[in-house]
Amino acid sequence: MDKLTKSPRLNTLLNQMGIFSPYDVINRLPRKYEDFSYTRERNLSDKERVVLLGKVISLPKLVPTKGPKLITFDFLTRERNYFKVIFFNQSYLEKTLKIDETYSLVGTFNLKRNEINGQRIYKGEIPKEESLKPVYVLPSSYPHHLYSGLVKRCLKKLEGKIFSLVPYFYLNKYRLINKEVALNWTHQPRDKKEIHQALRHLKYEEALLFSLKNQMIREDNKSLKKVKKEPIDFEMSAPFVDSLPFKLTEDQKQVSREIIEDMNQSSLMYRLLQGDVGTGKTIVSFIALYANYLRGDQGALMAPTDALARQHYANALKIFKNTKIKIALLLGSTSPATKKQIKEDLIDGYLDIVIGTHSLFTKDTSYSSLGLVIIDEQHRFGVNQRIALASKGDHADLLMMSATPIPRSLALTIFGDLDISTLYSFPHKKRDVVTRIFSSESDKIFGAVDYALKNDKQVYVIAPLIDFSEDGRFSTEQLYEKFAVKYPNKVAMLHGKMKQDEKEEILKNFYEGNVKILVSTQVVEVGIDVKNANTMIIYDATHFGLASLHQLRGRIGRDGSKSYCLLITDDENAKKLNILTKSEDGFKIAEEDMRQRGPGELSGIRQSGIPDFSYLNIIDDYKIFVVAREDAKEILNNRDNKNYQWIIKRVNYLISDEKVKKA
Ligand code: ADP
Ligand code: MG
């Protein structure tokens, strides 16, 4: 393939950005547009961003200051308004600006001093049709104007070679503009209407492909039938439910019923059980495992970490104490001899339930009759997951559990065939967590720790990083020192790079209350349950997504007593955390999180299991998803229509491509 640019350095950068072809270049849209249309100069308000056309009417002067270099000159606009202009750190302007020449000046207006704080200045007038300039996300070492040039070249190169996958009928129906025009307009818009028109096409096309893919995978899934089926009903589990150390909440009962009914269907269950941290998902999964045992099948419960798997195992031993159910724990770190034994016991059907991590589904693990798979704290539930499981030959019902709430309408649209059960209520008194924002210098921090310790409570301190960093973010190492000096013998540190047994020792000490303050990375986000912890201090809070912060604070106040979450930040964007101080509603917070991060900010979205989209925003473009979903149905109902062959072929290709990647 031809190199994209002549510079090997830039080519490497492009490849690192995932760009290998001219198509990749033009498919990557600007993140935003900067508007350079001229400002109406009447009634400018203070701090307003302005773009002015006018002439420099005094020689630029370098003003001596102690701080940054300051240039000033006088500017007379076309509308005959006069402003003083200052520029910081652009001393070359002293040489380049010429008196009586026409310039376009971009800056902010200072009302009190009738002054413009200049940001940029361009020679001449900006033509109206070029006043919207695309802004691309680039590594700092890639000059923006060079990238813009590359985009132009690629658009030129692909002239006449860009086709839409949207069938003609729908292009017409929605009056979508030609795709090539759409791509040109997104990169070189003459006005906002063009951007809007262009995006309508690109977003619709993306949504249609996505919906088709979903529905075709669903057809595949539907054809997976259970090997055998023993009907069970919720009432059969009644003696077991009565034997539990507590009474189920109404939600838990309802959801358990939904799950068991689903397990009775002839097609395989594919269900998400969602519920905020502490709503009691585990016991529901145990009831499902019990029902599965009653129908004579084996069950597997997979957790994301060793610690959580152990916690579930200990729990299961207690809960199933008075039954004949045989349970084993299988971890990566389990000794080879024990592993071998467990695997044998699974194959010959001696074991009823196995709890563990990924090792439950490695190639050399087989089951005599696996009927139910439960995946806890599942953040990623792609439509393809069932295919992945089925391709292992496991025709089992699948239940995924997640504390990341996904708004229902959204989930239905995005994960077409996923059924959802939700636990809304908490078994205990609802958690009572007071959340406040402080700066890292605030004495409220030690104050909160003192208060917790005085009441014999425990404290989490969370940092975004493990080691000292250059960019000034807080690390566990650094915070460990800070707290250990102030509270000797009370503090321990926990992070993902530590050895397994070291981690376990520390967790155990925290569970048992020997350690009062646990300084940790986000690893505690998942599933750890220490009821006595009622205070959490999260450093560099803006570094985490809102949904993650909400998950994190779900670790405290688990016995319903009043607890305190301190969000520590010195970031000017602290405002975006405000919703956490006001709301406990995980759904609302998740929505706001997705909105703030947008479809491009990968990690947050990935974590909540929602696929990345290039053009679509899953919150704001909800309506497009809905429309595309109906259209996809329509297309599949008429799949012999030769106008649809192209797009269906393409989707088939996408699906098989993903299967290959998964294998
Ligand atoms: P999560 O939904 O976060 O996984 P867990 O299943 O860990 O929540 O449950 C949180 C705590 O609540 C556990 O200690 C569990 O034993 C307890 N619990 C669950 N259901 C009930 C109930 N109905 N009544 C009282 N306590 C319950
Ligand atoms: Mg849990």
Side-chain angles (χ1 to χ4, degrees), residues 244-428:
L244 294 175
F246 40 70
K247 272 180 71 182
L248 294 184
T249 63
E250 282 310 310
D251 272 9
Q252 284 171 323
K253 279 188 212 159
Q254 164 69 22
V255 159
S256 305
R257 256 192 219 107
E258 282 170 15
I259 293 170
I260 291 175
E261 266 168 32
D262 206 359
M263 288 165 66
N264 283 335
Q265 303 300 314
S266 61
S267 58
L268 291 172
M269 175 164 77
Y270 185 54
R271 184 170 285 271
L272 171 68
L273 169 56
Q274 62 174 359
D276 220 330
V277 178
T279 46
K281 295 184 288 292
T282 315
I283 197 68
V284 172
S285 73
F286 287 176
I287 292 171
L289 284 169
Y290 185 76
N292 181 58
Y293 162 78
L294 289 185
R295 70 178 169 185
D297 277 352
Q298 291 173 309
L301 170 58
M302 180 166 104
T305 63
D306 280 17
L308 197 53
R310 277 175 213 275
Q311 194 174 301
H312 283 328
Y313 178 64
N315 224 330
L317 288 182
K318 258 188 259 159
I319 297 285
F320 293 118
K321 193 173 58 202
N322 297 321
T323 69
K324 295 205 177 98
I325 298 180
K326 306 268 188 317
I327 311 172
L329 176 69
L330 180 63
L331 303 172
S333 55
T334 304
S335 77
T338 314
K339 261 188 198 159
K340 187 159 167 266
Q341 184 62 49
I342 292 176
K343 285 175 184 176
E344 277 171 25
D345 291 347
L346 281 173
I347 293 177
D348 64 22
Y350 172 78
L351 279 172
D352 303 303
I353 294 177
V354 61
I355 297 175
T357 50
H358 288 94
S359 35
L360 296 183
F361 297 106
T362 47
K363 272 207 195 84
D364 57 339
T365 316
S366 338
Y367 298 78
S368 68
S369 67
L370 183 63
L372 175 64
V373 173
I374 299 175
I375 307 182
D376 191 18
E377 297 296 349
Q378 170 70 7
H379 293 306
R380 309 187 105 224
F381 14 82
V383 269
N384 287 357
Q385 198 150 44
R386 188 158 64 192
I387 291 193
L389 265 182
S391 68
K392 298 177 81 46
D394 306 323
H395 282 213
D397 287 316
L398 181 59
L399 179 68
M400 299 169 285
M401 303 199 285
S402 171
T404 306
I406 294 188
R408 192 182 190 89
S409 55
L410 190 70
L412 286 179
T413 316
I414 293 192
F415 308 109
D417 70 334
L418 184 71
D419 293 304
I420 299 181
S421 296
T422 305
L423 293 174
Y424 294 99
S425 59
F426 290 80
H428 306 280

Side-chain angles (χ1 to χ4, degrees), residues 190-207:
R190 279 172 300 193
D191 54 36
K192 290 193 175 132
K193 278 198 207 107
E194 289 192 351
I195 302 175
H196 178 74
Q197 286 301 335
L199 284 178
R200 276 185 58 223
H201 188 140
L202 301 177
K203 287 181 174 191
Y204 176 77
E205 186 184 34
E206 186 169 41

Side-chain angles (χ1 to χ4, degrees), residues 627-645:
V627 168
R629 198 165 144 223
E630 291 312 305
D631 294 345
K633 262 187 217 152
E634 193 63 39
I635 289 177
L636 290 176
N637 285 339
N638 298 291
R639 66 184 77 198
D640 296 332
N641 184 327
K642 70 176 187 325
N643 293 324
Y644 299 157
Q645 295 313 302

Side-chain angles (χ1 to χ4, degrees), residues 510-643:
F510 192 59
Y511 271 109
E512 291 172 356
N514 307 325
V515 163
K516 299 291 178 201
I517 304 171
L518 184 67
V519 180
S520 162
T521 51
Q522 215 173 348
V523 292
V524 296
E525 185 187 349
V526 176
I528 290 167
D529 187 13
V530 176
K531 294 216 165 49
N532 193 43
N534 84 332
T535 301
M536 177 173 279
I537 304 167
I538 308 175
Y539 278 81
D540 285 320
T542 51
H543 170 80
F544 301 95
L546 295 176
S548 294
L549 290 169
H550 182 65
Q551 290 257 79
L552 276 166
R553 72 176 167 178
R555 298 288 130 226
I556 52 173
R558 304 201 75 171
D559 57 357
S561 66
K562 185 152 188 159
S563 354
Y564 306 89
C565 175
L566 285 69
L567 303 175
I568 310 301
T569 177
D570 302 319
D571 184 337
E572 55 192 21
N573 288 327
K575 261 209 317 270
K576 69 178 200 184
L577 302 175
N578 280 351
I579 185 172
L580 290 166
T581 64
K582 289 185 226 133
S583 175
E584 275 280 333
D585 181 340
F587 287 90
K588 239 166 100 183
I589 290 167
E591 254 192 54
E592 182 57 30
D593 193 25
M594 293 179 215
R595 193 171 277 133
Q596 281 186 9
R597 288 161 171 253
E601 293 289 315
L602 307 180
S603 66
I605 299 290
R606 285 237 171 94
Q607 234 196 23
S608 55
I610 291 168
D612 301 326
F613 294 100
S614 311
Y615 309 134
L616 289 156
N617 178 310
I618 44 178
I619 301 290
D620 298 335
D621 297 326
Y622 171 66
K623 286 206 181 107
I624 302 182
F625 276 109
V626 175
V627 168
R629 198 165 144 223
E630 291 312 305
D631 294 345
K633 262 187 217 152
E634 193 63 39
I635 289 177
L636 290 176
N637 285 339
N638 298 291
R639 66 184 77 198
D640 296 332
N641 184 327
K642 70 176 187 325
N643 293 324

Side-chain angles (χ1 to χ4, degrees), residues 164 166-177 201 204:
S164 180
V166 178
Y168 186 69
F169 175 79
Y170 295 98
L171 285 176
N172 245 351
K173 177 171 177 190
Y174 301 117
R175 298 171 197 279
L176 300 178
I177 55 165
H201 188 140
Y204 176 77

